[in-house]
Amino acid sequence: TTEIYTLSLHDALPIFEEYHLKLAELEEEGVRVNQQQELFEVAVTNWRDLKTCRSELGSLKTVWDFVQLVLDIFTGFRNTLWPAVDCESMMDLTKKLQKEVKTLPRPTHKYDVHIGLTKALLSMSTSLPLVQDLRDEAMRPRHWTQLMQACGKTFVMDEKLQLDTLIRLELDKYQDSVTEIVERARAEIGRASCRERV
């Protein structure tokens, strides 16, 4: 789930630490220079670039902390067994996260991490309603086989199935096929109940 962020969270944190230490050294040097400038009564440098770097580094750390939160939540989603999947609450939480990501510091919106985070949330918000459709009681083994054929992947559809299996199908890329399969399943159930009444 981290490939879309260019770096993984595990790789990003040591880089943050490295740049924090380098920046701290430069800031200390800047303080020493300022003290000497004041001593000799010359113009004091404001080190605007250092302040910008410190601000952007802090903003990026905020985004990566949010990435950790989203990854933890999505891991919980993915590990949920099929009978326990609650698409509605998952969709509500994903929508809340989508709103919150818009409030992250604006300068970070240009970075891959923010773009990747936005895409991950969009993908989940598109996939969950499709998963909700697939939970329709009309779905039969033949319909699941049709879904596997449409997505080009196979899996065992039983109570041990984790939501992760369906998320990995990248359902958002097969939206039309999923909708068509579910509608066909519902139509078949409808026809069968009509025949029973006759």
Side-chain angles (χ1 to χ4, degrees), residues 80-86 135 157-163:
T80 306
L81 294 176
W82 184 245
V85 169
D86 182 351
R135 288 183 63 77
M157 183 61 224
D158 59 17
E159 292 192 352
K160 294 178 184 175
L161 179 87
Q162 291 183 322
L163 180 57

Side-chain angles (χ1 to χ4, degrees), residues 1 10 27 54 59 68 79 87 93 124 142 156 161 177:
T1 56
H10 181 267
E27 287 166 337
R54 174 59 69 195
S59 295
Q68 178 67 71
N79 291 340
C87 289
L93 185 48
M124 186 63 78
R142 63 180 175 278
V156 177
L161 179 87
S177 297

